[in-house]
Amino acid sequence: MPIPDSIDPDRIPRHVAIIMDGNGRWAKQQGKPRLYGHGVGVVSVQEIVECATEWGVEVLTLYAFSTENWKRPVDEVGGLMGLLKNYLLKELAKMVKNSIRLTCIGDIAKLPGDVRQVLEDTMRETAANSRLTLNLALSYGGRAELIQAIRKIAEDVSKGVLDVSAIDERLIDSHLYTAELPDPDLLIRTGGEARLSNFLLWQASYAEIYFTDTMWPDFREQAFASAIDEFQGRERRFGKTSAQVEGG
Ligand code: IPE
Ligand code: IPE
Ligand code: MG
């Protein structure tokens, strides 16, 4: 998957985060069960990971399962967990070969033991890889992430090891699951909805957001290239004026 001509290789977003939505509706359109959509969604994951690796994205965060998704029917939750486990087992060799490092964010303790085991093994075996960081958001919720950070910070204050005046953006960053990752530059949501659904609430403050009607199982190389193309055409002002940004 070489970089398409439409994309400037020198301005690839460092961190792309994706809300992979629309598997269930896509399956329904085909008259198939929801889990079939999730299965084809895994093929999209494989293709987008490959593009991200070859196009020079540093971090790709994929929202695979939210804290709220635990409320889905047990057979769908079980099916998703099975797909995750198989994906990790199947992709390990490719991750090693292509120097992909697997990390995750979320309340991993809630995952079934066997899935957690495979996840931890994969993270350990890919820890030294340096090309793409593939960061899976699993049992992830932005609010839950902030709650655990606030609790740790409050504990340190109450123990007297942290002064209230030392609480700043960097300190909060360092208590999030994403502590060692840069903030997302481009946040994509497939599936037609225009909401964040509890994803990276703190980190996405200045992300460029791209919503597309394309359902996740249809989101492949072309669609990803279009998202990056649009990203490259936007002016990120970070609160400044256009003239200031252009002046460097
Ligand atoms: C996204 O697709 C995958 C997960 C949330 C796990 P959905 O399953 O939400 O698909 P729709 O939104 O019902 O079509
Ligand atoms: C967001 O999709 C979560 C993931 C993609 C993992 P949902 O389908 O769960 O979001 P809502 O319920 O439509 O907001
Ligand atoms: Mg959905």
Side-chain angles (χ1 to χ4, degrees):
M1 314 249 165
I3 301 193
D5 290 339
S6 57
I7 293 179
D8 177 355
D10 296 327
R11 290 188 305 123
I12 297 289
R14 269 184 88 187
H15 182 175
V16 179
I18 309 182
I19 302 173
M20 308 183 288
D21 196 24
N23 294 349
R25 281 164 288 155
W26 182 88
K28 200 175 171 195
Q29 285 162 9
Q30 327 270 313
K32 299 266 180 30
R34 292 180 58 83
L35 208 56
Y36 175 77
H38 295 313
V40 178
V42 173
V43 182
S44 293
V45 170
Q46 289 167 325
E47 186 160 323
I48 298 308
V49 168
E50 209 174 297
C51 292
T53 309
E54 293 189 18
W55 299 355
V57 172
E58 277 175 48
V59 183
L60 178 67
T61 296
L62 299 178
Y63 202 7
F65 197 86
S66 73
T67 48
E68 289 72 26
N69 289 149
W70 290 113
K71 295 177 203 154
R72 292 193 179 190
V74 278
D75 56 337
E76 183 168 345
V77 171
L80 283 165
M81 292 299 146
L83 283 171
L84 171 62
K85 186 177 163 183
N86 284 342
Y87 170 79
L88 293 170
L89 289 171
K90 218 176 104 196
E91 297 300 297
L92 176 62
K94 220 192 277 171
M95 289 182 202
V96 171
K97 181 167 166 263
N98 296 334
S99 193
I100 295 170
R101 175 176 74 126
L102 187 87
T103 58
C104 68
I105 54 174
D107 187 1
I108 296 314
K110 287 216 176 77
L111 298 177
D114 59 328
V115 177
R116 211 170 103 189
Q117 189 61 56
V118 175
L119 185 64
E120 278 164 4
D121 290 348
T122 313
M123 290 196 287
R124 200 183 50 248
E125 287 174 53
T126 62
N129 294 347
S130 57
R131 200 165 167 202
L132 173 77
T133 294
L134 173 58
N135 182 40
L136 298 182
L138 298 167
S139 189
Y140 174 85
R143 288 186 173 182
E145 178 182 41
L146 285 167
I147 289 167
Q148 62 82 38
I150 291 164
R151 281 189 183 147
K152 273 190 221 146
I153 293 167
E155 252 172 51
D156 286 347
V157 170
S158 72
K159 277 193 254 161
V161 296
L162 180 72
D163 197 82
V164 169
S165 64
I167 300 173
D168 58 10
E169 287 193 18
R170 272 183 54 187
L171 184 94
I172 291 173
D173 273 333
S174 73
H175 284 80
L176 300 178
Y177 297 132
T178 49
E180 36 118 31
L181 301 175
D183 282 345
D185 301 293
L186 171 61
L187 193 158
I188 298 170
R189 183 176 187 138
T190 64
E193 313 291 358
R195 53 179 171 253
L196 288 178
S197 300
N198 207 7
F199 189 45
L200 300 178
L201 298 180
W202 169 276
Q203 299 90 333
S205 289
Y206 269 99
E208 292 299 326
I209 304 186
Y210 179 85
F211 296 112
T212 172
D213 288 335
T214 304
M215 299 288 162
W216 179 251
D218 287 331
F219 192 88
R220 300 293 167 90
E221 180 183 7
Q222 279 293 316
F224 191 36
S226 299
I228 294 180
D229 195 28
E230 166 142 349
F231 169 83
Q232 293 187 334
R234 294 196 193 170
E235 180 179 63
R236 301 184 79 190
R237 289 191 287 277
F238 298 99
K240 297 182 182 176
T241 67
S242 203
Q244 286 176 302
V245 174
E246 279 157 22

